Amino acid sequence: MNIHPLFVHFPIALLTSYAVFEIISFGKLQKNVTWNFVKGIFVLTGFISALITLQTGELAAEILGKSDLIKMHSFFATIATWIFVLPSFAYGIFFLNHFECCHSVKTKIKNYRLSTRVFYVCNVLSRILLKRWILMILAVAGFTTMMVTGALGGAIVYGKDVDPVVRFVVDFLM
């Protein structure tokens, strides 16, 4: 049984919403810690659901067979997922540093000497990744690869002539 279609819509909705939130400036909201929490929740849950969706996609590929179109779809799905790992990581560290519920986890991490150094490096990387222009580039790149993945998925299910955009993407990549 192919369960991939049941899971695929969650990362699409969550990561598209995250990308829109990151790309479009909402004025004073951008500097609000709560707004960063909202964006972080969207990208973290979207990334986790994308990992699950990748696994269900592999199961579906075993059922359907691995055509060139399915391989290309899988390739772009993997790229999109791993682009979103960077803001997910950055927001995860942001949560550890800014929210009271995460302080006990942060304290436990700091009890180990090696993990203190690792946590310091993670903090530095997080501060770099949380720069507005870097997040915007990652959001645009992730959104673009996700849309290509969707077009290829549409071509797998409905054929490449279902839509002019799908046809363009398939003809361009294949």
Side-chain angles (χ1 to χ4, degrees):
M1 184 166 115
N2 183 5
I3 61 171
H4 184 63
L6 297 173
F7 289 90
V8 73
H9 299 94
F10 293 105
I12 292 170
L14 292 164
L15 295 174
T16 297
S17 298
Y18 163 74
V20 168
F21 294 160
E22 205 65 78
I23 294 166
I24 297 174
S25 178
F26 290 96
K28 291 182 180 181
L29 274 177
Q30 286 300 119
K31 293 181 176 29
N32 189 329
V33 173
T34 306
W35 183 243
N36 286 327
F37 179 75
V38 169
K39 291 189 299 185
I41 290 296
F42 271 78
V43 74
L44 279 165
T45 55
F47 172 70
I48 291 166
S49 66
L51 289 174
I52 295 167
T53 303
L54 278 176
Q55 293 305 308
T56 63
E58 289 299 318
L59 294 173
E62 289 177 16
I63 294 169
L64 299 173
K66 291 210 176 197
S67 68
D68 289 342
L69 192 56
I70 290 175
K71 288 177 186 173
M72 187 66 69
H73 174 72
S74 176
F75 174 75
F76 274 95
T78 303
I79 289 174
T81 301
W82 292 108
I83 287 172
F84 285 112
V85 75
L86 295 171
S88 297
F89 165 80
Y91 279 111
I93 299 298
F94 174 81
F95 290 163
L96 285 175
N97 288 325
H98 286 87
F99 293 102
E100 198 63 41
C101 61
C102 298
H103 283 295
S104 63
V105 173
K106 187 177 174 182
T107 304
K108 288 178 184 175
I109 290 171
K110 287 189 169 186
N111 286 339
Y112 301 99
R113 187 178 309 173
L114 176 63
S115 62
T116 302
R117 291 181 187 141
V118 171
F119 193 70
Y120 173 77
V121 171
C122 289
N123 272 317
V124 170
L125 288 172
S126 176
R127 275 185 252 133
I128 292 168
L129 289 171
L130 286 174
K131 292 186 186 306
R132 178 116 173 88
W133 66 274
I134 292 175
L135 289 174
M136 285 183 70
I137 289 170
L138 291 171
V140 168
F143 179 76
T144 303
T145 54
M146 209 169 45
M147 293 304 103
V148 170
T149 304
L152 293 170
I156 292 166
V157 175
Y158 301 109
K160 69 179 186 176
D161 294 324
V162 69
D163 181 271
V165 174
V166 171
R167 177 129 180 112
F168 172 78
V169 170
V170 171
D171 288 345
F172 183 77
L173 293 174
M174 303 303 278

